[in-house]
Amino acid sequence: MKSKKRILTGDTPTGKLHLGHYVGSVENRLALQNSGEYDCYFLIANKHAFTTRADRPDEIRQSVLDIATDWLAVGIDPNKSTMLIQSEVPAIDELTFFFSMIIPFNRVMRNPTLAQEIKDKELGDKYPFGFPLYAVGQCADILAFRPEMVPVGEDQLPHLELSREVARRFDQLYCGVDPHVQDKDYIARGGLFPVIQPLLGRVKRLVGIGPPGPDGNLLKMSKSLNNAIFLSDDADTVQKKVMTMYTDPKRIRATDPGETDPEKNPLWAMHENFNPDQAWVKEQQEAYRQGKVGDVAIKKKLVEVLNALIDPIRTRRKHFEARPDEVMDALRTGTRRANEVAEETLGLAKKAMKQDYFPRKLSIP
Ligand code: TRP
């Protein structure tokens, strides 16, 4: 049997998944898994969590288990997909070291995602050496699996671009690929690493349920901005969050004309992104603009829509929360399988670099 094409993506374990993650990438992962056409690898980037939280190992360990539970709850099926813990796949570290030799330091530091993170997290010049290194590490996370596609949110594109550069450089240096070869032909022309394609989610940037930021624009949904609805929120919490969410501040009475631009009123952003009945949404937006329907009715409908999405997730979560051993088993089996692929890749990479001195075997009992 010819092996299926692989996809790989991952999450840094920093907190629980919310609706922004759902439309940004979880949905794509589920579709790819359930299509049966791909071998899917989902990586928990626990080492990346150490870039900013090296002093909080307990918290990182808990986040790893939370993310794994979240994945299983949303419908990642360990019989179909491979869930792995980054730090238990040593080939990733070894590739990181070699890759770090073929990419200029200044190129890494020009990565806008790193620059943004330094700004957002107010790291100044206090970030550890491992912080820029993690960007090279992410190239290794990806290339260790030589995937066809990498489904991510938009903020990850600069990292993927770096992985494309690393792949080209490696293939040119060590596999004799001509620099004029087109990206899609690198493997056919003898390269080891594919110049991967990103796959973006249906919604690039989901707004949060809070008021706009200082520039007047609605903020991205994010745990740290306190404007998120989590896939682990219970029905009461979803109800409370929606009923008190920010809408159109100029609207005092239900008879006032209301704002339906999803860029300005998150109530409508939510309906446009999550309500399966878009004809209803169009109709009610018209009524809302004319002051014929109040916030309360539209919010109640949103509570229904969101709970319908989250309910099956809650049921599965209950199952796995009561069985932490099953979560651990999924991670163990997945990490074992991931090592088979990553070790093979590393072996091929060492051979290409003429550093294949002895064979070796790695095993997770
Ligand atoms: N940096 C990604 C994030 O914070 C997580 C990640 C780590 C990742 N390794 C990856 C994503 C490889 C895609 C591919 O969300």
Side-chain angles (χ1 to χ4, degrees):
M1 192 185 82
K2 190 178 174 300
S3 58
K4 291 182 198 170
K5 296 210 162 130
R6 288 187 286 258
I7 65 136
L8 172 124
T9 188
D11 289 324
T12 305
T14 50
K16 299 187 168 175
L17 299 179
H18 53 61
L19 291 173
H21 297 115
Y22 193 84
V23 285
S25 88
V26 169
E27 217 175 38
N28 259 341
R29 297 177 192 187
L30 291 173
L32 290 162
Q33 165 186 279
N34 297 332
S35 76
E37 282 173 39
Y38 295 93
D39 230 349
C40 301
Y41 291 80
F42 301 121
L43 169 145
I44 302 181
N46 60 328
K47 275 182 304 178
H48 289 193
F50 278 80
T51 55
T52 54
R53 291 186 292 160
D55 56 340
R56 275 129 67 200
D58 290 327
E59 196 184 300
I60 296 175
R61 189 185 177 96
Q62 187 55 49
S63 296
V64 167
L65 299 176
D66 285 346
I67 283 280
T69 308
D70 255 334
W71 284 356
L72 293 165
V74 295
I76 299 299
D77 177 348
N79 296 314
K80 293 184 184 157
S81 298
T82 301
M83 297 173 28
L84 63 127
I85 301 180
Q86 184 188 45
S87 65
E88 296 296 341
V89 181
I92 292 175
D93 302 81
E94 296 176 55
L95 288 171
T96 302
F97 207 110
F98 287 122
F99 289 165
S100 72
M101 302 300 171
I102 61 171
I103 195 88
F105 182 67
N106 289 334
R107 167 63 188 90
V108 176
M109 293 314 288
R110 258 191 283 117
N111 179 327
T113 301
L114 287 193
Q116 192 62 41
E117 226 178 315
I118 291 172
K119 204 170 134 223
D120 289 351
K121 298 183 181 161
E122 293 173 8
L123 302 177
D125 56 4
K126 301 241 173 354
Y127 51 82
F129 183 74
F131 180 74
L133 185 62
Y134 105 73
V136 184
Q138 183 155 344
C139 300
D141 293 341
I142 296 169
L143 296 177
F145 296 90
R146 289 169 285 148
E148 166 107 339
M149 245 180 336
V150 183
V152 286
E154 209 173 28
D155 62 317
Q156 296 296 306
L157 290 179
H159 287 314
L160 300 205
E161 191 50 47
L162 196 65
S163 95
R164 291 157 53 82
E165 284 178 39
V166 167
R168 286 189 202 104
R169 183 99 187 109
F170 187 101
D171 290 346
Q172 290 168 16
L173 274 176
Y174 304 122
C175 309
V177 175
D178 185 295
H180 301 292
V181 159
Q182 286 190 12
D183 287 345
K184 63 174 176 43
D185 295 331
Y186 265 71
I187 301 292
R189 297 294 203 87
L192 171 60
F193 292 114
V195 182
I196 58 95
Q197 287 302 322
L199 178 71
L200 290 176
R202 168 169 70 97
V203 181
K204 307 262 175 308
R205 178 183 183 274
L206 183 71
V207 298
I209 56 171
D215 64 355
N217 294 322
L218 291 176
L219 299 162
K220 182 178 161 176
M221 184 174 286
S222 142
K223 173 186 149 158
S224 55
L225 296 170
N226 232 328
N227 61 4
I229 294 179
F230 294 94
L231 299 176
S232 47
D233 281 344
D234 62 30
D236 282 349
T237 306
V238 169
Q239 154 118 6
K240 250 186 233 117
K241 284 184 178 176
V242 171
M243 295 316 284
T244 56
M245 76 185 277
Y246 176 88
T247 61
D248 176 353
K250 294 190 295 298
R251 200 167 192 233
I252 316 290
R253 290 175 210 85
T255 49
D256 295 341
E259 178 62 74
T260 58
D261 182 348
E263 300 283 322
K264 299 196 174 125
N265 186 342
L267 180 56
W268 290 111
M270 288 292 184
H271 269 294
E272 288 191 6
N273 286 317
F274 292 101
N275 194 328
D277 188 354
Q278 287 297 309
W280 183 92
V281 174
K282 290 265 158 339
E283 207 181 278
Q284 296 300 312
Q285 280 177 325
E286 190 52 43
Y288 194 91
R289 275 193 290 272
Q290 296 174 3
K292 290 185 179 152
V293 59
D295 270 27
V296 172
I298 306 299
K299 284 179 165 178
K300 279 194 174 148
K301 185 71 188 174
L302 182 61
V303 172
E304 257 173 55
V305 163
L306 293 181
N307 280 328
L309 174 78
I310 304 176
D311 260 337
I313 300 178
R314 287 187 189 116
T315 309
R316 277 190 298 264
R317 176 185 306 282
K318 270 213 189 77
H319 173 98
F320 289 107
E321 276 176 352
R323 295 169 187 80
D325 289 357
E326 274 188 35
V327 179
M328 249 340 182
D329 278 343
L331 289 170
R332 182 182 301 106
T333 319
T335 304
R336 193 186 284 143
R337 214 180 305 148
N339 268 303
E340 281 167 27
V341 179
E343 284 290 304
E344 184 194 15
T345 303
L346 178 66
L348 293 167
K350 283 176 163 175
K351 189 153 181 260
M353 292 183 290
K354 312 211 183 302
Q355 306 305 308
D356 55 331
Y357 303 106
F358 328 107
R360 74 170 193 196
K361 256 208 151 44
L362 184 143
S363 73
I364 295 178

